[in-house]
Amino acid sequence: MAKDSFLKHKALPNILVFFVGVPDEHKQQSLISKIGKLVDRIYGIDHYVVYAINNDDLACDSRCFSASALLVIHDGSVKNSDNISKLPEIKLPLTRLSPGESDQIDETYFCEQIKNCISKEECKENDENEPLKDSPIYLFDLKRNFHDWTKMNNKTNIIQLHDNQQVETISNDTVIFMEWNRNRLSLANFGIDFDPVLFFNSLQTKLLGHTVLFANKIGTTMDLANRFRHVNGLIAVANYQTKGQGRNANRWLSPKGCAMFTLSLQLPINSPIVEHLPFIQHIVSLSIVLSLPKDKLNIKIKWPNDILFGDSMSKLAGILTQSFFYGEYINLQIGIGINKANRYPSACLDDVIEEYNNCLPPYNECERLKPISREGLIASFLNNFESFINRLVEQPNQLHEIKKLYINNWIHTDSIVNVHSKKSGSVTKVRICGINDNGYLLGQEIDGDSLICLTTEGNRFDLMENLTTINFQS
């Protein structure tokens, strides 16, 4: 793959923010949020990724060498001017901004500085870029039985849409039951950009995905799925999320073209799976990888649950899992975002497939990869995931085999990392050797016999430096 030009181009949509003399994390987060909104207003929603970096990132993070701009936010004091001048040499457009003592910013000043920092050709300021409102919710059910839904004891108003009914007259709180044998043209007239026929024809599950909630725009698919948490195996799909979230309260960009969905799963509290609940996220990531041409595109898992591709190991998918106790069962909500067709602000699956095909010799047509539909990708994931869940329920000893399969598809085999203990400040050199039954990383000390268990909280892998910051337990 011609990674140099391809990945450099795809890395440009990053705008980096470096703070000098602004130690308050709350203030930093507030400023990042406000700058992100200004950038969205100038260049369009989700055209750029805005995020904070620190000194360690400046030294080794590859995004620092191919981003669009670096914004240095300082407190305006003279004593910090030396810190700004000592920044590592980064060949990026750079501007220095000072919000003063508060987290309030002069929007006009910031906008002008940002536009001066980034080429005017890229500026697409649009005052009509209003916040997106949630759109109607459509329901597709494999059984096609509207009467079963009307009998459900919940507060949601569910109606069946007729051909002569206008969508605009329906409240956004209403769920609209749709006959999914309608043709694509008819669905498009209702603003539905999802093909239920293609999806259900690709689905091979006994439970998962038999009920689909679809919305063009929604806050988050997790919130939507939570409204119907009593429906086991339901998935909620959206074209665009206005309040997407990632791990650790990070913002999850949700541009159109990203395959965004949440699976709602009920697990009895006495299920053997519950004993290894943290391992579910690893099964999710494995199910995604097995749904893709992983060998040709070099798609791998970065522990615990990021999906990466290519020699650059750029992020292809992210996963967020939440669990809730309700009586005799646990409701597990699995939120997934796969960069499928969203060519900005990051590389996506369509990009990677296209680049793979372009690098093939002209006579090697049989090796060309076909585009993967969003509906087919989601269905394939559900097929794989249900298969793994059934294996664990029916044969708990299958956990060992699934762990081996997970390890065979990750990037960490025999990696040697420096483990920094936040408690003692000590550094231990460790060789990664596997995961335990809960999915925690296992490392063997290079200079000793101790086996270290690395938890998923507060950890950070840097792929360039093989450096980890870890909470660990012996």
Side-chain angles (χ1 to χ4, degrees), residues 1 6 9 11 34 58 62 98 122 183 195 198 239 257 307 349 358 372 377 385 395 433 436 468:
M1 185 175 288
F6 170 61
H9 171 72
K34 291 176 180 178
L58 286 171
S62 62
S98 174
E122 298 183 55
N183 59 53
D195 189 342
L198 175 59
N239 279 339
I307 311 301
L349 183 61
N358 289 340
I372 301 173
L377 179 56
F385 185 69
Q395 305 177 58
C433 59
N436 67 9
T468 48

Side-chain angles (χ1 to χ4, degrees), residues 6 9-14 46-47 49 253 255 309 314-316 339 341-349 351:
F6 170 61
H9 171 72
K10 297 307 297 187
L12 286 178
N14 292 320
D46 289 342
H47 186 79
V49 180
L253 297 181
F309 73 88
S314 299
K315 189 167 181 175
L316 185 62
N339 293 325
N342 47 305
R343 295 183 183 267
Y344 292 97
S346 59
C348 66
L349 183 61
D351 275 332

Side-chain angles (χ1 to χ4, degrees), residues 345-412:
S346 59
C348 66
L349 183 61
D350 286 0
D351 275 332
V352 181
I353 290 177
E354 182 179 296
E355 188 67 16
Y356 174 84
N357 289 336
N358 289 340
C359 292
L360 288 175
Y363 54 81
N364 204 353
E365 286 294 322
C366 62
E367 290 294 320
R368 293 180 66 85
L369 295 174
K370 295 181 179 179
I372 301 173
S373 69
R374 175 178 57 167
E375 293 85 350
L377 179 56
I378 296 175
S380 181
F381 160 77
L382 293 171
N383 295 339
N384 289 327
F385 185 69
E386 184 176 273
S387 175
F388 283 125
I389 293 297
N390 289 341
R391 284 170 63 180
L392 285 180
V393 170
E394 297 165 4
Q395 305 177 58
N397 59 354
Q398 280 290 305
L399 181 63
H400 178 69
E401 296 301 318
I402 296 174
K403 282 165 52 179
K404 286 173 56 178
L405 190 57
Y406 177 88
I407 292 171
N408 287 339
N409 285 279
W410 75 353
I411 62 174
H412 304 295

Side-chain angles (χ1 to χ4, degrees), residues 140-142 180 195-203 209-212:
F140 300 98
D141 190 89
L142 189 59
W180 54 269
D195 189 342
V197 176
L198 175 59
F199 173 75
F200 286 125
N201 285 346
S202 303
L203 196 67
H210 289 205
T211 301
V212 180

Side-chain angles (χ1 to χ4, degrees), residues 12 14-17 48 67-71 92-94 114 117-118:
L12 286 178
N14 292 320
I15 295 179
L16 317 179
V17 181
Y48 282 105
S68 285
L70 172 63
L71 309 180
L92 289 177
L94 180 150
I114 292 170
C117 192
I118 301 173

